[in-house]
């Protein structure tokens, strides 16, 4: 609701969201507040970890030792059984955002997605390798602004939480 209130003061031409439940639930009040339909896009989903989905790190280590070792080592070529590799995830996210830019041209598109997807976006814009640990914040319900012009991605603003009440900022 806070995101919807904030975006109501800005020109937004389209709303695209991951088709997964949490993103759709986040997008719903934004859509209502802006009078826009949600365009679901499965390419905006979080990375698929296959047989490791929903498990804690301790459970992955106990049940899938090799997967645990390769994931902890940040091996971007490694694909967990029934999942996708870091490279495949990166390429999917790149393709999704490049398609959005091509389809919508100069329009302003609000995108509701997941932390891992946003991490890929930030890395692309800043030239940060996938193998590097994340050193930037990706808070829930934050606003970040990305400009895509051809092959150039520019982060204009990142992790703006000025619209959120203080209680919402407590991750504990």
């Amino acid at each position: 609701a806070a995101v919807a209130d904030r975006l109501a003061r800005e020109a937004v031409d389209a709303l695209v969201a991951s088709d997964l439940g949490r993103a759709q639930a986040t997008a719903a009040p934004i859509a209502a507040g802006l009078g826009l339909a949600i365009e679901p896009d499965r390419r905006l989903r979080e990375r698929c970890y296959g047989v490791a989905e929903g498990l804690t790190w301790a459970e992955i280590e106990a049940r899938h030792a090799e997967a645990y070792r390769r994931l902890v080592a940040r091996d971007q070529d490694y694909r967990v059984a029934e999942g996708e590799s870091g490279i495949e995830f990166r390429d999917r996210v790149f393709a999704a955002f490049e398609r959005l830019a091509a389809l919508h041209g100069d329009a302003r598109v609000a995108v509701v997605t997941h932390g891992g997807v946003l991490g890929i976006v930030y890395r692309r814009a800043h030239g940060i390798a996938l193998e590097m640990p994340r050193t930037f914040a990706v808070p829930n319900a934050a606003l970040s602004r990305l400009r895509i012009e051809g092959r150039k991605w520019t982060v204009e603003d990142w992790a703006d939480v000025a619209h959120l009440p203080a209680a919402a900022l407590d991750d504990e």
Side-chain angles (χ1 to χ4, degrees):
V3 173
D5 289 345
R6 172 83 178 267
L7 290 179
R9 297 188 299 267
E10 302 181 25
V12 176
D13 303 301
L15 174 61
V16 180
S18 159
D19 64 341
L20 296 180
R22 191 167 78 164
Q24 289 289 307
T26 300
I30 298 169
L34 300 178
L36 295 171
I38 302 168
E39 299 173 33
D41 190 333
R42 66 181 295 116
R43 292 169 312 159
L44 296 173
R45 288 180 175 186
E46 188 61 272
R47 178 177 173 184
C48 177
Y49 284 94
V51 297
E53 285 285 323
L55 303 179
T56 66
W57 283 108
E59 291 168 336
I60 296 169
E61 184 176 24
R63 297 179 195 175
H64 309 285
E66 177 65 7
Y68 176 82
R69 184 184 69 73
R70 305 268 306 263
L71 290 169
V72 169
R74 303 186 64 80
D75 180 346
Q76 299 304 310
D77 292 314
Y78 178 69
R79 181 186 309 114
V80 177
E82 302 173 27
E84 65 187 327
S85 72
I87 301 278
E88 291 166 334
F89 176 51
R90 177 202 65 195
D91 291 349
R92 172 169 56 85
V93 171
F94 285 4
F97 277 85
E98 287 168 353
R99 180 178 173 272
L100 287 173
L103 282 175
H104 293 281
D106 290 333
R108 294 186 62 158
V109 180
V111 176
V112 178
T113 189
H114 309 277
V117 172
L118 293 171
I120 295 293
V121 166
Y122 188 92
R123 288 169 188 280
R124 164 82 183 261
H126 292 285
I128 300 170
L130 293 175
E131 295 80 12
M132 299 301 297
R134 188 165 79 188
T135 58
F136 49 91
V138 184
N140 287 334
L143 291 177
S144 297
R145 289 178 177 75
L146 173 71
R147 178 177 300 278
I148 299 177
E149 296 173 311
R151 303 286 299 155
K152 183 177 181 186
W153 293 26
T154 305
V155 170
E156 295 183 336
D157 191 20
W158 190 257
D160 178 352
V161 293
H163 56 287
L164 298 177
L169 301 175
D170 183 6
D171 284 340
E172 294 301 316

